[in-house]
Amino acid sequence: MYLLEVLSGPLDGKTWVFEREITIGRDDALAEACLALDRYVSRRHARLAIEADAIRLEDLRSRNGTRLGGQIVVGDVPLPVGVPFVVGRTVLRVTRT
């Protein structure tokens, strides 16, 4: 099991537990991890998926992009546990529960 945590942004401290896949976005009908207060987040912005005990981060063609290590995420990239990434103006990270 993994924990998606907001490190900074309008929902600072908010968390979501997931074990397979979780979508991040502004629309709670389309995203399990809803960041409704960040107007720079798309309705369906990014997705985290677990593959063979590794986490993959994918930008879902969001308007403002997803950043990892200061670089724009293109397609699907590996996301090391504990490394922060940015969706809109919200900084998030994934840890193990």
Side-chain angles (χ1 to χ4, degrees):
M1 294 262 268
Y2 293 91
L3 183 75
L4 174 62
E5 173 184 20
V6 177
L7 296 178
S8 72
L11 294 172
D12 193 13
K14 175 79 175 151
T15 61
W16 297 269
V17 175
F18 69 104
E19 54 187 332
R20 287 190 193 94
E21 183 177 291
I22 189 167
T23 301
I24 303 164
R26 195 179 69 240
D27 186 337
D28 66 353
L30 301 173
E32 296 85 11
C34 183
L35 301 172
L37 300 176
D38 186 341
R39 62 188 176 122
Y40 294 93
V41 173
S42 297
R43 292 175 63 213
R44 281 186 68 236
H45 197 104
R47 178 180 15 241
L48 294 170
I50 300 169
E51 294 178 4
D53 212 28
I55 303 171
R56 307 286 302 175
L57 171 63
E58 177 184 8
D59 183 78
L60 300 175
R61 297 184 179 173
S62 65
R63 184 176 201 173
N64 293 303
T66 301
R67 295 185 180 276
L68 175 62
Q71 302 296 314
I72 294 176
V73 172
V74 177
D76 146 317
V77 299
L79 176 66
V81 171
V83 174
F85 64 99
V86 180
V87 171
R89 292 202 173 160
T90 301
V91 179
L92 303 125
R93 79 170 165 199
V94 174
T95 57
R96 292 186 185 271
T97 57

Coordinates of all heavy atoms in Angstrom, one line a residue:
M1 N 0.8 -1.2 0.0 CA 0.0 0.0 0.0 C 0.9 1.2 0.0 O 2.0 1.2 0.6 CB -0.9 0.0 1.2 CG -1.9 -1.1 1.3 SD -3.5 -0.5 0.7 CE -4.2 -0.1 2.2
Y2 N 0.4 2.3 -0.7 CA 1.1 3.5 -0.8 C 0.2 4.7 -0.3 O -1.0 4.6 -0.3 CB 1.5 3.8 -2.2 CG 2.5 2.8 -2.7 CD1 2.1 1.6 -3.4 CD2 3.9 3.0 -2.6 CE1 3.0 0.7 -3.8 CE2 4.8 2.1 -3.1 CZ 4.4 1.0 -3.7 OH 5.3 0.1 -4.1
L3 N 0.9 5.8 0.1 CA 0.2 7.0 0.5 C 0.6 8.1 -0.3 O 1.8 8.4 -0.5 CB 0.6 7.2 2.0 CG 0.0 8.4 2.7 CD1 -1.4 8.1 3.0 CD2 0.8 8.8 3.9
L4 N -0.3 8.8 -1.0 CA -0.1 10.0 -1.7 C -0.4 11.2 -0.8 O -1.5 11.2 -0.2 CB -1.0 10.0 -2.9 CG -1.0 11.3 -3.8 CD1 0.4 11.5 -4.4 CD2 -2.1 11.2 -4.9
E5 N 0.6 12.1 -0.7 CA 0.5 13.1 0.3 C 0.8 14.5 -0.3 O 1.7 14.6 -1.1 CB 1.5 12.9 1.4 CG 1.7 13.9 2.4 CD 2.8 13.6 3.4 OE1 3.7 12.8 3.1 OE2 2.8 14.2 4.5
V6 N -0.1 15.5 0.1 CA 0.2 16.9 -0.4 C 1.2 17.5 0.6 O 1.0 17.6 1.8 CB -1.1 17.7 -0.4 CG1 -0.9 19.1 -0.8 CG2 -2.2 17.1 -1.3
L7 N 2.3 17.9 0.0 CA 3.4 18.6 0.8 C 3.2 20.1 0.9 O 3.5 20.7 1.9 CB 4.8 18.3 0.2 CG 5.2 16.8 0.2 CD1 6.6 16.6 -0.4 CD2 5.2 16.3 1.6
S8 N 2.7 20.7 -0.2 CA 2.4 22.1 -0.2 C 1.4 22.4 -1.3 O 1.3 21.8 -2.3 CB 3.6 23.0 -0.3 OG 4.1 22.9 -1.6
G9 N 0.5 23.4 -1.0 CA -0.5 23.7 -1.9 C -1.8 24.0 -1.1 O -1.8 23.9 0.1
P10 N -2.9 24.2 -1.8 CA -4.2 24.5 -1.1 C -4.7 23.4 -0.2 O -5.4 23.7 0.8 CB -5.2 24.7 -2.2 CG -4.3 25.0 -3.4 CD -3.0 24.3 -3.2
L11 N -4.3 22.2 -0.4 CA -4.7 21.0 0.5 C -3.6 20.5 1.3 O -3.5 19.2 1.5 CB -5.4 20.0 -0.4 CG -6.7 20.4 -1.1 CD1 -7.2 19.3 -2.0 CD2 -7.8 20.7 -0.1
D12 N -2.7 21.3 1.7 CA -1.5 20.9 2.5 C -1.9 19.9 3.6 O -2.7 20.1 4.4 CB -0.8 22.1 3.1 CG 0.6 21.8 3.6 OD1 1.1 20.7 3.3 OD2 1.1 22.7 4.3
G13 N -1.2 18.7 3.5 CA -1.4 17.7 4.6 C -2.5 16.6 4.2 O -2.5 15.6 4.8
K14 N -3.2 16.8 3.1 CA -4.2 15.9 2.7 C -3.5 14.6 2.2 O -2.4 14.7 1.6 CB -5.1 16.5 1.6 CG -6.1 15.6 0.9 CD -7.3 15.4 1.7 CE -8.3 14.6 1.0 NZ -9.2 13.8 1.8
T15 N -4.1 13.4 2.4 CA -3.5 12.2 2.0 C -4.6 11.3 1.4 O -5.8 11.4 1.7 CB -2.8 11.4 3.1 OG1 -3.8 11.1 4.1 CG2 -1.7 12.2 3.8
W16 N -4.1 10.3 0.5 CA -4.9 9.3 -0.1 C -4.1 8.0 -0.1 O -2.9 8.0 -0.4 CB -5.3 9.6 -1.5 CG -6.1 10.8 -1.7 CD1 -7.4 10.9 -1.8 CD2 -5.6 12.2 -2.0 NE1 -7.8 12.3 -2.0 CE2 -6.7 13.0 -2.1 CE3 -4.3 12.7 -2.0 CZ2 -6.5 14.4 -2.3 CZ3 -4.1 14.1 -2.2 CH2 -5.2 14.9 -2.4
V17 N -4.8 6.9 0.3 CA -4.1 5.6 0.3 C -4.5 4.9 -1.0 O -5.7 5.0 -1.5 CB -4.6 4.8 1.5 CG1 -4.0 3.3 1.4 CG2 -4.2 5.4 2.8
F18 N -3.5 4.2 -1.7 CA -3.8 3.5 -2.9 C -3.0 2.3 -3.0 O -1.9 2.2 -2.4 CB -3.7 4.4 -4.1 CG -2.3 4.8 -4.5 CD1 -1.6 4.2 -5.5 CD2 -1.7 5.8 -3.8 CE1 -0.3 4.6 -5.9 CE2 -0.4 6.2 -4.1 CZ 0.3 5.6 -5.1
E19 N -3.4 1.3 -3.7 CA -2.6 0.1 -3.9 C -2.4 -0.4 -5.3 O -1.6 -1.3 -5.6 CB -3.2 -1.1 -3.0 CG -4.6 -1.4 -3.2 CD -5.1 -2.4 -2.2 OE1 -4.3 -3.2 -1.7 OE2 -6.3 -2.4 -1.9
R20 N -3.1 0.2 -6.2 CA -2.9 -0.2 -7.7 C -2.7 1.1 -8.5 O -1.7 1.2 -9.1 CB -4.2 -0.9 -8.2 CG -4.3 -2.3 -7.6 CD -5.4 -3.1 -8.3 NE -5.6 -4.3 -7.5 CZ -6.6 -4.5 -6.6 NH1 -7.4 -3.5 -6.3 NH2 -6.7 -5.6 -5.9
E21 N -3.7 1.9 -8.7 CA -3.7 3.0 -9.5 C -4.5 4.1 -8.9 O -5.5 3.9 -8.3 CB -4.2 2.7 -10.9 CG -4.2 3.8 -11.9 CD -4.7 3.3 -13.3 OE1 -4.0 2.5 -13.9 OE2 -5.8 3.8 -13.7
I22 N -4.1 5.4 -9.1 CA -4.9 6.5 -8.6 C -4.7 7.7 -9.6 O -3.6 7.9 -10.1 CB -4.4 6.9 -7.2 CG1 -5.4 7.9 -6.6 CG2 -3.0 7.4 -7.1 CD1 -5.2 8.2 -5.1
T23 N -5.8 8.3 -9.9 CA -5.8 9.4 -10.8 C -5.9 10.7 -10.0 O -6.6 10.8 -9.0 CB -7.1 9.4 -11.8 OG1 -7.0 8.2 -12.5 CG2 -7.1 10.6 -12.7
I24 N -5.1 11.7 -10.4 CA -5.0 13.0 -9.7 C -5.7 14.0 -10.6 O -5.4 14.1 -11.8 CB -3.6 13.4 -9.4 CG1 -2.9 12.3 -8.6 CG2 -3.5 14.8 -8.7 CD1 -1.3 12.4 -8.6
G25 N -6.6 14.8 -10.1 CA -7.2 15.9 -10.9 C -8.1 16.8 -10.0 O -8.1 16.7 -8.8
R26 N -8.7 17.7 -10.7 CA -9.6 18.7 -10.1 C -11.0 18.3 -9.9 O -11.8 18.8 -9.1 CB -9.4 20.0 -10.8 CG -9.9 21.2 -10.1 CD -9.8 22.5 -10.9 NE -10.7 22.5 -12.0 CZ -10.4 22.6 -13.3 NH1 -9.1 22.7 -13.6 NH2 -11.3 22.6 -14.2
D27 N -11.5 17.3 -10.7 CA -12.9 16.9 -10.8 C -13.0 15.6 -10.0 O -12.5 14.5 -10.4 CB -13.3 16.7 -12.2 CG -14.7 16.4 -12.4 OD1 -15.4 15.9 -11.4 OD2 -15.3 16.6 -13.5
D28 N -13.8 15.6 -8.9 CA -13.9 14.4 -8.0 C -14.6 13.3 -8.7 O -14.6 12.2 -8.2 CB -14.4 14.8 -6.6 CG -15.9 15.3 -6.7 OD1 -16.4 15.5 -7.8 OD2 -16.5 15.4 -5.6
A29 N -15.3 13.5 -9.8 CA -16.0 12.5 -10.5 C -15.0 11.7 -11.4 O -15.3 10.6 -11.8 CB -17.1 13.0 -11.4
L30 N -13.9 12.3 -11.7 CA -12.9 11.7 -12.6 C -11.6 11.3 -11.9 O -10.8 10.6 -12.4 CB -12.5 12.7 -13.7 CG -13.7 13.1 -14.6 CD1 -13.3 14.2 -15.6 CD2 -14.3 11.9 -15.4
A31 N -11.4 11.8 -10.7 CA -10.1 11.6 -10.0 C -10.3 11.2 -8.5 O -11.0 11.9 -7.8 CB -9.3 12.9 -10.0
E32 N -9.6 10.1 -8.2 CA -9.7 9.7 -6.8 C -9.0 10.6 -5.8 O -9.4 10.8 -4.7 CB -9.1 8.3 -6.6 CG -9.8 7.2 -7.4 CD -9.4 7.1 -8.8 OE1 -8.4 7.7 -9.2 OE2 -10.0 6.3 -9.6
A33 N -7.9 11.2 -6.3 CA -7.1 12.2 -5.5 C -7.5 13.6 -6.1 O -7.0 14.1 -7.1 CB -5.6 12.0 -5.6
C34 N -8.5 14.2 -5.5 CA -9.1 15.4 -6.0 C -8.4 16.7 -5.4 O -8.4 16.8 -4.2 CB -10.6 15.5 -5.7 SG -11.4 16.9 -6.4
L35 N -7.9 17.5 -6.2 CA -7.2 18.8 -5.8 C -8.1 19.9 -6.3 O -7.6 20.8 -7.1 CB -5.8 18.8 -6.4 CG -4.9 17.7 -6.0 CD1 -3.6 17.8 -6.8 CD2 -4.6 17.7 -4.5
A36 N -9.3 20.0 -5.9 CA -10.3 20.9 -6.4 C -9.9 22.4 -6.2 O -10.4 23.3 -6.9 CB -11.7 20.6 -5.8
L37 N -9.1 22.7 -5.2 CA -8.8 24.1 -4.9 C -7.6 24.6 -5.7 O -7.3 25.8 -5.6 CB -8.5 24.2 -3.4 CG -9.7 23.8 -2.4 CD1 -9.2 23.9 -1.0 CD2 -10.9 24.7 -2.7
D38 N -6.9 23.8 -6.4 CA -5.8 24.2 -7.2 C -6.3 24.4 -8.7 O -6.5 23.5 -9.4 CB -4.7 23.2 -7.2 CG -3.4 23.7 -7.9 OD1 -3.5 24.6 -8.7 OD2 -2.3 23.1 -7.6
R39 N -6.5 25.7 -9.0 CA -7.1 26.0 -10.4 C -6.1 25.7 -11.5 O -6.5 25.8 -12.7 CB -7.6 27.4 -10.4 CG -6.5 28.4 -10.2 CD -7.1 29.8 -10.1 NE -6.0 30.8 -9.8 CZ -5.8 31.8 -10.6 NH1 -6.5 32.1 -11.6 NH2 -4.8 32.6 -10.2
Y40 N -4.9 25.3 -11.2 CA -3.9 25.0 -12.3 C -3.9 23.5 -12.5 O -3.1 23.0 -13.4 CB -2.5 25.5 -11.9 CG -2.4 27.0 -11.8 CD1 -2.7 27.7 -10.7 CD2 -2.2 27.7 -13.0 CE1 -2.6 29.1 -10.6 CE2 -2.2 29.1 -13.0 CZ -2.4 29.8 -11.8 OH -2.4 31.1 -11.8
V41 N -4.7 22.7 -11.8 CA -4.8 21.3 -12.0 C -6.0 21.0 -13.0 O -7.1 21.6 -12.9 CB -5.1 20.6 -10.7 CG1 -5.4 19.1 -10.9 CG2 -3.9 20.8 -9.7
S42 N -5.7 20.2 -14.0 CA -6.8 19.8 -15.0 C -7.8 18.8 -14.3 O -7.5 18.2 -13.3 CB -6.1 19.1 -16.2 OG -5.3 20.0 -16.8
R43 N -8.9 18.6 -15.0 CA -9.9 17.7 -14.4 C -9.4 16.3 -14.2 O -9.6 15.7 -13.2 CB -11.1 17.7 -15.4 CG -11.9 19.0 -15.4 CD -13.0 19.1 -16.4 NE -14.0 18.1 -16.1 CZ -14.7 17.4 -17.0 NH1 -14.5 17.6 -18.2 NH2 -15.6 16.5 -16.6
R44 N -8.6 15.8 -15.2 CA -7.9 14.6 -15.1 C -6.4 14.9 -15.4 O -6.1 15.1 -16.6 CB -8.4 13.5 -16.1 CG -9.6 12.8 -15.6 CD -10.0 11.7 -16.5 NE -9.1 10.6 -16.5 CZ -8.4 10.1 -17.5 NH1 -8.6 10.6 -18.7 NH2 -7.5 9.1 -17.3
H45 N -5.6 15.1 -14.4 CA -4.3 15.7 -14.6 C -3.2 14.6 -14.8 O -2.4 14.7 -15.7 CB -4.0 16.6 -13.5 CG -2.8 17.6 -13.7 ND1 -3.1 18.9 -14.0 CD2 -1.5 17.4 -13.8 CE1 -1.9 19.5 -14.2 NE2 -0.9 18.6 -14.1
A46 N -3.1 13.7 -13.8 CA -2.0 12.7 -13.8 C -2.5 11.4 -13.2 O -3.5 11.4 -12.6 CB -0.8 13.3 -13.1
R47 N -1.7 10.4 -13.5 CA -2.0 9.1 -12.9 C -0.8 8.4 -12.3 O 0.3 8.5 -12.9 CB -2.6 8.2 -14.0 CG -2.9 6.8 -13.5 CD -3.5 5.8 -14.6 NE -3.4 6.3 -15.9 CZ -4.4 6.5 -16.8 NH1 -5.6 6.4 -16.4 NH2 -4.2 6.9 -18.0
L48 N -1.0 7.8 -11.2 CA 0.1 7.0 -10.6 C -0.4 5.5 -10.7 O -1.5 5.2 -10.4 CB 0.2 7.3 -9.1 CG 0.7 8.7 -8.8 CD1 0.6 9.0 -7.3 CD2 2.2 8.9 -9.2
A49 N 0.6 4.7 -11.2 CA 0.3 3.2 -11.3 C 1.4 2.4 -10.7 O 2.6 2.8 -10.7 CB 0.1 2.9 -12.8
I50 N 1.1 1.3 -10.1 CA 2.1 0.4 -9.5 C 2.3 -0.8 -10.5 O 1.3 -1.5 -10.8 CB 1.6 -0.1 -8.1 CG1 1.4 1.1 -7.2 CG2 2.7 -1.1 -7.6 CD1 0.8 0.8 -5.9
E51 N 3.5 -1.0 -10.9 CA 3.9 -2.1 -11.8 C 5.1 -2.8 -11.2 O 6.1 -2.2 -11.1 CB 4.2 -1.5 -13.2 CG 3.1 -0.9 -13.9 CD 3.5 -0.4 -15.3 OE1 4.7 -0.5 -15.6 OE2 2.7 0.3 -15.9
A52 N 4.9 -4.0 -10.8 CA 6.0 -4.9 -10.3 C 6.7 -4.2 -9.2 O 7.9 -4.1 -9.2 CB 6.9 -5.3 -11.4
D53 N 6.0 -3.7 -8.2 CA 6.5 -3.0 -7.0 C 7.3 -1.7 -7.3 O 8.1 -1.3 -6.6 CB 7.4 -4.0 -6.3 CG 7.4 -3.7 -4.8 OD1 6.4 -3.2 -4.3 OD2 8.4 -4.0 -4.1
A54 N 7.0 -1.1 -8.5 CA 7.5 0.2 -8.8 C 6.4 1.1 -9.2 O 5.3 0.7 -9.6 CB 8.4 0.1 -10.1
I55 N 6.6 2.4 -9.0 CA 5.5 3.4 -9.2 C 5.8 4.1 -10.5 O 7.0 4.5 -10.8 CB 5.4 4.4 -8.1 CG1 5.2 3.7 -6.8 CG2 4.3 5.4 -8.4 CD1 5.3 4.6 -5.6
R56 N 4.8 4.3 -11.3 CA 4.9 5.0 -12.6 C 4.1 6.3 -12.5 O 2.9 6.2 -12.0 CB 4.5 4.2 -13.8 CG 5.1 2.8 -13.9 CD 6.5 2.8 -14.4 NE 6.7 3.4 -15.7 CZ 7.8 3.6 -16.3 NH1 8.9 3.2 -15.7 NH2 8.0 4.2 -17.4
L57 N 4.6 7.4 -13.0 CA 3.9 8.7 -13.0 C 3.6 9.0 -14.5 O 4.5 9.0 -15.3 CB 4.7 9.8 -12.4 CG 4.2 11.2 -12.5 CD1 2.8 11.4 -11.8 CD2 5.2 12.2 -11.9
E58 N 2.3 9.3 -14.8 CA 2.0 9.6 -16.1 C 1.2 10.9 -16.2 O 0.2 11.1 -15.4 CB 1.1 8.5 -16.8 CG 0.6 8.8 -18.1 CD -0.3 7.7 -18.7 OE1 -0.7 6.8 -17.9 OE2 -0.6 7.8 -19.9
D59 N 1.6 11.9 -17.0 CA 0.8 13.1 -17.2 C -0.3 12.7 -18.2 O -0.1 12.1 -19.2 CB 1.7 14.2 -17.7 CG 0.9 15.5 -17.9 OD1 0.6 16.2 -16.9 OD2 0.4 15.8 -19.1
L60 N -1.6 13.1 -17.9 CA -2.7 12.8 -18.8 C -3.1 14.0 -19.7 O -4.2 14.3 -19.8 CB -3.9 12.4 -17.9 CG -3.6 11.2 -17.0 CD1 -4.8 11.0 -16.1 CD2 -3.3 10.0 -17.8
R61 N -2.0 14.5 -20.4 CA -2.2 15.6 -21.3 C -2.8 16.8 -20.6 O -3.7 17.5 -21.2 CB -3.0 15.2 -22.5 CG -2.3 14.1 -23.3 CD -3.1 13.8 -24.6 NE -2.3 12.8 -25.3 CZ -2.8 12.2 -26.4 NH1 -4.0 12.5 -26.8 NH2 -2.1 11.3 -27.0
S62 N -2.3 17.1 -19.4 CA -2.9 18.2 -18.7 C -2.5 19.5 -19.3 O -1.5 19.6 -20.0 CB -2.3 18.2 -17.2 OG -0.9 18.3 -17.2
R63 N -3.2 20.6 -19.0 CA -2.9 21.9 -19.5 C -1.6 22.5 -19.0 O -0.8 23.1 -19.8 CB -4.1 22.8 -19.2 CG -3.9 24.2 -19.9 CD -5.1 25.0 -19.6 NE -5.2 26.0 -20.6 CZ -6.1 26.9 -20.8 NH1 -7.2 26.8 -20.0 NH2 -6.1 27.8 -21.7
N64 N -1.4 22.3 -17.7 CA -0.2 23.0 -17.1 C 0.9 22.0 -16.8 O 1.9 22.4 -16.2 CB -0.6 23.7 -15.8 CG -1.5 24.9 -16.1 OD1 -1.1 25.8 -16.9 ND2 -2.7 24.9 -15.6
G65 N 0.8 20.8 -17.2 CA 1.9 19.8 -17.0 C 2.1 19.3 -15.6 O 1.5 19.7 -14.6
T66 N 2.9 18.2 -15.6 CA 3.3 17.6 -14.3 C 4.8 17.6 -14.3 O 5.5 17.4 -15.3 CB 2.8 16.1 -14.3 OG1 1.4 16.1 -14.4 CG2 3.3 15.4 -13.0
R67 N 5.4 18.0 -13.2 CA 6.9 18.1 -13.1 C 7.5 17.1 -12.1 O 6.9 17.0 -11.0 CB 7.3 19.5 -12.7 CG 6.9 20.5 -13.8 CD 7.4 21.9 -13.4 NE 7.0 22.9 -14.4 CZ 7.7 23.1 -15.6 NH1 8.8 22.4 -15.8 NH2 7.3 24.0 -16.4
L68 N 8.6 16.6 -12.5 CA 9.4 15.7 -11.6 C 10.8 16.1 -11.7 O 11.4 16.1 -12.8 CB 9.2 14.2 -12.0 CG 10.0 13.2 -11.3 CD1 9.6 13.1 -9.8 CD2 9.8 11.8 -11.9
G69 N 11.4 16.5 -10.6 CA 12.8 16.9 -10.6 C 13.0 18.1 -11.5 O 14.1 18.3 -12.1
G70 N 12.0 19.0 -11.5 CA 12.1 20.2 -12.3 C 11.8 20.1 -13.8 O 11.8 21.0 -14.5
Q71 N 11.7 18.8 -14.2 CA 11.4 18.5 -15.6 C 10.0 18.2 -15.9 O 9.3 17.5 -15.1 CB 12.3 17.3 -16.1 CG 13.8 17.5 -15.9 CD 14.3 18.7 -16.7 OE1 14.0 18.8 -17.9 NE2 15.1 19.5 -16.1
I72 N 9.5 18.6 -17.0 CA 8.1 18.2 -17.4 C 8.0 16.7 -17.7 O 8.9 16.2 -18.5 CB 7.6 19.1 -18.6 CG1 7.5 20.5 -18.2 CG2 6.3 18.6 -19.2 CD1 7.2 21.5 -19.4
V73 N 7.0 16.1 -17.2 CA 6.8 14.7 -17.4 C 6.1 14.5 -18.8 O 5.1 15.1 -19.0 CB 5.9 14.0 -16.3 CG1 5.5 12.6 -16.6 CG2 6.6 14.1 -14.9
V74 N 6.8 13.7 -19.6 CA 6.2 13.4 -20.9 C 5.9 11.9 -20.9 O 6.8 11.1 -20.7 CB 7.2 13.7 -22.0 CG1 6.7 13.3 -23.4 CG2 7.5 15.2 -22.0
G75 N 4.7 11.5 -21.1 CA 4.3 10.1 -21.1 C 4.3 9.6 -19.7 O 3.8 10.2 -18.8
D76 N 5.0 8.4 -19.5 CA 5.0 7.7 -18.3 C 6.4 7.5 -17.8 O 7.2 7.0 -18.6 CB 4.1 6.5 -18.6 CG 4.4 5.2 -17.9 OD1 5.6 4.9 -17.8 OD2 3.5 4.5 -17.5
V77 N 6.7 7.9 -16.6 CA 8.1 7.8 -16.1 C 8.1 7.1 -14.7 O 7.1 7.2 -14.0 CB 8.7 9.2 -16.0 CG1 8.8 9.9 -17.3 CG2 8.0 10.1 -15.0
P78 N 9.3 6.6 -14.3 CA 9.4 6.0 -13.0 C 9.4 7.1 -11.9 O 9.9 8.1 -12.1 CB 10.7 5.2 -13.0 CG 11.4 5.6 -14.3 CD 10.4 6.3 -15.1
L79 N 8.7 6.8 -10.8 CA 8.6 7.7 -9.7 C 9.2 7.1 -8.5 O 8.5 6.2 -7.9 CB 7.2 8.2 -9.4 CG 7.0 9.1 -8.2 CD1 7.7 10.5 -8.5 CD2 5.5 9.3 -7.9
P80 N 10.4 7.4 -8.0 CA 10.9 6.9 -6.8 C 10.1 7.2 -5.6 O 9.6 8.4 -5.5 CB 12.3 7.5 -6.7 CG 12.6 8.0 -8.1 CD 11.3 8.4 -8.7
V81 N 9.9 6.3 -4.7 CA 9.2 6.5 -3.4 C 9.9 7.7 -2.7 O 11.1 7.7 -2.6 CB 9.1 5.2 -2.6 CG1 8.6 5.5 -1.2 CG2 8.3 4.2 -3.3
G82 N 9.1 8.6 -2.2 CA 9.6 9.7 -1.4 C 10.0 11.0 -2.2 O 10.3 12.0 -1.6
V83 N 10.1 10.9 -3.5 CA 10.5 12.0 -4.4 C 9.3 12.9 -4.7 O 8.3 12.4 -5.3 CB 11.2 11.5 -5.6 CG1 11.6 12.7 -6.5 CG2 12.5 10.7 -5.3
P84 N 9.4 14.2 -4.4 CA 8.3 15.1 -4.6 C 8.1 15.3 -6.1 O 9.0 15.3 -6.9 CB 8.7 16.4 -4.0 CG 9.7 16.0 -3.0 CD 10.4 14.8 -3.6
F85 N 6.8 15.6 -6.5 CA 6.5 15.9 -7.9 C 5.4 17.0 -7.8 O 4.8 17.2 -6.8 CB 6.1 14.7 -8.7 CG 4.8 14.0 -8.3 CD1 3.6 14.3 -8.9 CD2 4.9 13.1 -7.3 CE1 2.5 13.6 -8.5 CE2 3.7 12.4 -6.8 CZ 2.5 12.7 -7.5
V86 N 5.2 17.7 -8.9 CA 4.3 18.9 -8.9 C 3.2 18.7 -9.9 O 3.5 18.4 -11.1 CB 5.1 20.2 -9.2 CG1 4.1 21.4 -9.2 CG2 6.2 20.4 -8.2
V87 N 2.0 18.9 -9.5 CA 0.8 18.8 -10.3 C 0.1 20.2 -10.1 O -0.3 20.6 -9.0 CB -0.2 17.7 -9.8 CG1 -1.5 17.8 -10.5 CG2 0.5 16.4 -10.1
G88 N 0.0 21.0 -11.2 CA -0.5 22.3 -11.1 C 0.5 23.1 -10.2 O 1.6 23.3 -10.5
R89 N 0.0 23.6 -9.1 CA 0.8 24.3 -8.1 C 0.9 23.6 -6.8 O 1.3 24.1 -5.8 CB 0.3 25.7 -7.9 CG 0.5 26.6 -9.1 CD 0.5 28.0 -8.8 NE 0.8 28.8 -10.0 CZ 0.6 30.1 -10.1 NH1 0.0 30.7 -9.1 NH2 0.9 30.7 -11.2
T90 N 0.6 22.3 -6.8 CA 0.6 21.4 -5.7 C 1.7 20.5 -5.7 O 2.0 19.8 -6.7 CB -0.8 20.6 -5.6 OG1 -1.9 21.5 -5.5 CG2 -0.8 19.7 -4.4
V91 N 2.5 20.4 -4.6 CA 3.6 19.5 -4.5 C 3.1 18.3 -3.7 O 2.5 18.4 -2.7 CB 4.8 20.1 -3.7 CG1 6.0 19.2 -3.6 CG2 5.2 21.4 -4.4
L92 N 3.4 17.1 -4.4 CA 3.0 15.8 -3.8 C 4.1 14.9 -3.7 O 5.2 15.1 -4.3 CB 1.9 15.2 -4.7 CG 0.7 16.0 -4.9 CD1 0.4 16.1 -6.4 CD2 -0.5 15.3 -4.3
R93 N 4.0 13.8 -2.9 CA 4.9 12.7 -2.9 C 4.2 11.4 -2.5 O 3.1 11.5 -1.9 CB 6.1 13.0 -1.9 CG 5.8 12.7 -0.5 CD 7.0 12.8 0.4 NE 6.5 12.9 1.8 CZ 7.2 13.3 2.8 NH1 8.4 13.6 2.6 NH2 6.7 13.3 4.0
V94 N 4.8 10.3 -2.9 CA 4.3 9.0 -2.5 C 5.2 8.3 -1.5 O 6.5 8.4 -1.7 CB 4.2 8.1 -3.8 CG1 3.7 6.7 -3.4 CG2 3.2 8.7 -4.8
T95 N 4.7 7.8 -0.5 CA 5.4 7.0 0.5 C 4.7 5.6 0.7 O 3.6 5.5 0.3 CB 5.6 7.7 1.8 OG1 4.3 8.0 2.3 CG2 6.4 9.0 1.7
R96 N 5.4 4.7 1.3 CA 4.8 3.4 1.6 C 4.1 3.6 3.0 O 4.5 4.3 3.8 CB 5.8 2.3 1.7 CG 6.5 2.0 0.4 CD 7.4 0.8 0.6 NE 8.1 0.5 -0.6 CZ 7.7 -0.3 -1.6 NH1 6.5 -0.9 -1.5 NH2 8.4 -0.5 -2.7
T97 N 2.9 2.8 3.1 CA 2.2 2.9 4.4 C 2.7 1.8 5.3 O 3.4 0.9 4.8 CB 0.7 2.6 4.2 OG1 0.5 1.4 3.5 CG2 0.1 3.8 3.4

